[in-house]
């Protein structure tokens, strides 16, 4: 569900973002807020739910040859391991759960527009489209948006919201957003 107080006027944007038509059953979504602390050692930051509770933590591993992150629950239990593959023509991140690859995110080789494809193990491919640099994009499966990232909902600097359709793998979609952020904003 969309957290009250996270941002006003989101309902109309969500209707548009999830291709809802008036008179149809609305898609239930969960909203998260990613607040990255730019100066923190090792790229650590928290992901909050729609009511401001810290529910996930991104634990960046510093001083490594490749970019490595861990998505943990609020209690510190590791949910996903995220790491970049080095020496690749295309920027690639691997997302693992309990040592098994669950998804591989690859950046397309296009100069003017960032495009990403996510190969999900045992599932259907996901596509990322939109304005990646400005944190305004959608993650879709078979042409249907299952998550939406937008900075427009939140006024705070270096913060953006992620709205995820009910029934989706929330940690995986949050990890995909982290990979895209790490790839598109590598200068941070």
């Amino acid at each position: 569900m969309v957290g009250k107080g996270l941002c006003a006027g989101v309902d109309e944007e969500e209707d548009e973002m999830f291709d809802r038509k008036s008179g149809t059953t609305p898609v239930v979504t969960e909203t998260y807020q990613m607040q990255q602390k730019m100066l923190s050692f090792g790229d650590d930051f928290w992901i909050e739910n729609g009511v401001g509770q810290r529910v996930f933590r991104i634990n960046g591993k510093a001083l490594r040859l490749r970019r490595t992150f861990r998505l943990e629950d609020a209690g510190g239990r590791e949910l996903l391991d995220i790491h970049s593959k080095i020496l690749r023509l295309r920027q690639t991140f691997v997302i693992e759960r309990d040592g098994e690859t669950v998804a591989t995110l690859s950046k397309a080789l296009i100069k003017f527009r960032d495009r990403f494809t996510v190969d999900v193990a045992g599932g259907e491919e996901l596509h990322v489209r939109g304005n990646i640099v400005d944190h305004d994009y959608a993650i879709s499966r078979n042409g249907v948006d299952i998550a939406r990232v937008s900075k427009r909902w939140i006024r705070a600097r270096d913060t953006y919201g992620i709205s995820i359709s009910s029934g989706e793998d929330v940690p995986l979609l949050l990890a995909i957003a982290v990979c895209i952020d790490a790839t598109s904003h590598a200068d941070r």
Side-chain angles (χ1 to χ4, degrees), residues 105-106 114-118 126-130 132 137-140 176 180:
L105 178 132
S106 301
D114 289 335
R115 284 193 345 197
F116 294 87
T117 302
V118 182
L126 303 177
H127 297 277
V128 180
R129 61 178 164 69
I132 305 298
Y137 59 89
I139 301 170
S140 62
I176 290 169
I180 292 169

Side-chain angles (χ1 to χ4, degrees), residues 27-65:
V27 175
V28 178
T29 62
E30 295 179 53
T31 302
Y32 297 89
Q33 179 177 331
M34 295 188 63
Q35 187 170 17
Q36 186 169 2
K37 294 190 169 127
M38 301 288 287
L39 301 176
S40 65
F41 183 75
D43 294 324
D44 294 350
F45 59 94
W46 284 95
I47 300 172
E48 299 175 350
N49 63 12
V51 293
Q53 298 169 324
R54 292 178 168 183
V55 290
F56 298 103
R57 179 173 177 243
I58 299 297
N59 184 353
K61 300 298 178 186
L63 305 174
R64 300 214 176 167
L65 184 57

Side-chain angles (χ1 to χ4, degrees), residues 118-137:
V118 182
D119 294 320
V120 179
E124 297 181 31
E125 189 174 76
L126 303 177
H127 297 277
V128 180
R129 61 178 164 69
N131 187 336
I132 305 298
V133 174
D134 288 336
H135 293 97
D136 190 20
Y137 59 89

Side-chain angles (χ1 to χ4, degrees), residues 21 29 38 70 74-75 79 85 93 111 132 142 144 153 168-169 183:
K21 308 292 186 240
T29 62
M38 301 288 287
R70 291 217 168 87
L79 303 175
K85 288 195 165 195
F93 275 88
K111 281 196 171 234
I132 305 298
N142 294 326
V144 176
W153 307 332
E168 296 296 334
D169 186 344
T183 301

